[in-house]
Amino acid sequence: MKSPESPYFSPPNLPAIDHPLSMKGRFGRLSFIAWSTFLHFIFLFGSIALGLSIDIVNIATLSVDPNWLISIQGLASIGVMIMILAYLYFALVVTIRRLHDMDRSGWWALLLLIPLVNIFVWLYIVFGPGDRGVNQYGPARLTLFWEKVLAWLMIILTLLSLLGSLALFGYMSGGEQPQTPAEMMQKTTKYF
């Protein structure tokens, strides 16, 4: 007979409203990968749109006063800075939520600023197991269906790109040992 207060037989108590872009709460691995991918694509498409709009304005204003053109370019650079700051903030939020899932403080994200250490911290964030059940940062968050689909698409695309890079490297090397510059000079100078 199950008891109503037993954590083994009841689903975790989720907060009534889970705001994915707030620093409170947790993200599992797939949620972290999905939201990171989503943010990258938003930033990429936003950068492309801003760059195209700047180019359209530049082409349309070739015969306009140069001071006006400089002011438009200044506004565009402010737009770029706002996009970069928003991207960094939301990337930090997603990383902190992933660290919360592993019962770590969000201050661990500062380790991502240290060269070489950031590689190991990033690998830990991506591959480290999260806590099951409730930890000091709240209950485990359920991964939504679209997060699972987007995360697995990103994982598959990453693996395919690695395999493609290795295949291209193997093709470009041609199975031969790389030649030294002296050997290359000897073989090519007979034609000149």
Side-chain angles (χ1 to χ4, degrees), residues 122-164:
W122 184 84
L123 289 172
Y124 175 68
I125 289 172
V126 172
F127 295 112
D131 286 348
R132 293 179 184 241
V134 179
N135 67 14
Q136 66 178 337
Y137 298 102
R141 180 180 178 274
L142 298 175
T143 304
L144 303 174
F145 177 74
W146 74 267
E147 292 174 344
K148 290 178 184 178
V149 170
L150 185 60
W152 279 109
L153 281 173
M154 192 64 199
I155 291 168
I156 290 168
L157 287 175
T158 302
L159 292 175
L160 287 176
S161 67
L162 287 174
L163 288 174

Side-chain angles (χ1 to χ4, degrees), residues 54-84:
I54 291 169
D55 284 341
I56 290 170
V57 168
N58 285 341
I59 290 172
T61 58
L62 287 177
S63 62
V64 179
D65 182 28
N67 292 331
W68 188 74
L69 185 62
I70 290 172
S71 65
I72 287 182
Q73 289 173 343
L75 288 174
S77 63
I78 291 171
V80 169
M81 288 303 296
I82 289 171
M83 278 182 31
I84 290 172

